[in-house]
Amino acid sequence: MLSQNQSKHIRTLHSKKFREEHGQFLVEGDKMVQELLEENHLEIVHLYAVKEWLTIHHKRLTKRNIPLTEILPAELERISTLVTPNQVLAVVRIPAVHINNQLPEQHMCLFLDGIQDPGNMGTILRIADWFGIPAVYCGPDCADIYSSKVVQASMGAIFRVFCWKTTLDSLCKALPEVPVLGAVMDGASVFEHKVPSHGLLVIGNEGNGIKPENLPLLTHSISIPRHPNSRAESLNAAVATGILAAMILRP
């Protein structure tokens, strides 16, 4: 049975302000929570689920010693952020990680410059996970990493890819020798030019691209050439990230 205080607390986590204040975020749905259970480094503060789900996963949950509350489908519907709630909701501690500025010295990492659409943000995390990109640095005006829409769109990648908020300027000052690749419309074709396989790949805002103040920080300007017959103005930011990652990190 869900208490009034539990219900109130969970609903506050729908808001960025209270996610930051409590240091917690929500993970919802059978598939997402099952992926979460595979990640022992993440602390599940409390798990709320319908009876059938708890019965199926009883042994697995007992091993993790997770605080559990059985709730009714109607109660889950009241606390969920999903249009169609799916059996289970977990309250998870936001990991207290220290920003690692050394990763781009050995790996290709992403810097997101004003990615504001939660769907794009989650998909980019999923792309990073697929291509083995260990870290995504997010500019200060990016979508909230731990919003429910980003978490759902990441399809579990948020559990495996390190994410930090910082500025490109501070990263470049900390790593003056690291290549900084930027996706710009008039850049060199990524299909024709050899580019470094480590450093930072900067992906700009969906509508405006990379901020003007960040353009001088780029060491390599690259692009995905448009077909001569195409009249499209631009590519979706997540689609562009996938194409660039595939080309830069190809064996």
Side-chain angles (χ1 to χ4, degrees):
M1 186 74 176
L2 190 68
S3 73
Q4 187 173 355
N5 284 340
Q6 287 174 322
S7 177
K8 181 179 179 181
H9 176 70
I10 293 166
R11 287 200 299 269
T12 67
L13 299 179
H14 295 192
S15 161
K16 177 183 178 181
K17 174 186 175 182
F18 290 105
R19 285 194 295 272
E20 291 179 345
E21 182 176 311
H22 296 297
Q24 298 172 354
F25 69 104
L26 301 178
V27 176
E28 299 187 61
D30 173 57
K31 186 178 186 303
M32 288 289 290
V33 173
Q34 287 204 57
E35 287 210 34
L36 172 66
L37 290 171
E38 296 292 327
E39 307 298 332
N40 292 325
H41 67 285
L42 291 171
E43 179 191 351
I44 301 175
V45 178
H46 207 107
L47 192 146
Y48 302 86
V50 298
K51 182 178 181 179
E52 293 79 7
W53 195 92
L54 291 174
T55 301
I56 292 170
H57 300 284
H58 173 73
K59 289 184 179 179
R60 195 176 183 190
L61 295 169
T62 303
K63 289 180 182 178
R64 287 285 301 268
N65 195 28
I66 299 167
L68 305 171
T69 296
E70 180 185 322
I71 59 176
L72 299 171
E75 292 176 317
L76 179 61
E77 188 172 340
R78 286 199 295 271
I79 60 175
S80 175
T81 65
L82 303 179
V83 175
T84 307
N86 186 7
Q87 297 186 298
V88 59
L89 176 151
V91 177
V92 183
R93 184 86 58 201
I94 293 175
V97 293
H98 298 288
I99 189 166
N100 187 337
N101 287 339
Q102 278 66 55
L103 283 172
E105 293 180 328
Q106 299 177 332
H107 307 274
M108 181 57 68
C109 299
L110 299 179
F111 180 86
L112 306 184
D113 189 12
I115 297 295
Q116 295 175 345
D117 180 83
N120 276 340
M121 175 74 85
T123 302
I124 289 171
L125 292 176
R126 193 175 174 185
I127 289 165
D129 189 26
W130 180 264
F131 285 104
I133 294 171
V136 175
Y137 302 92
C138 301
D141 53 352
C142 281
D144 178 24
I145 300 164
Y146 293 105
S147 76
S148 291
K149 288 183 179 179
V150 173
V151 173
Q152 292 298 128
S154 80
M155 295 296 288
I158 195 168
F159 308 144
R160 296 179 289 272
V161 177
F162 292 109
C163 302
W164 295 278
K165 282 221 168 186
T166 185
T167 65
L168 185 59
D169 181 63
S170 63
L171 278 174
C172 291
K173 286 178 179 176
L175 298 164
E177 304 301 321
V178 165
V180 182
L181 290 66
V184 295
M185 292 297 290
D186 58 350
S189 169
V190 73
F191 301 135
E192 298 174 1
H193 291 76
K194 180 69 175 175
V195 294
S197 58
H198 74 283
L200 290 168
L201 172 59
V202 183
I203 304 296
N205 172 269
E206 292 89 347
N208 301 313
I210 297 172
K211 291 186 181 66
E213 60 266 32
N214 284 334
L215 290 173
L217 301 174
L218 304 181
T219 60
H220 298 72
S221 295
I222 58 175
S223 69
I224 302 166
R226 180 171 50 189
H227 189 278
N229 295 334
S230 173
R231 297 175 65 184
E233 289 187 3
S234 63
L235 277 173
N236 170 274
V239 171
T241 303
I243 295 170
L244 291 170
M247 292 303 299
I248 293 168
L249 299 173
R250 66 189 185 278

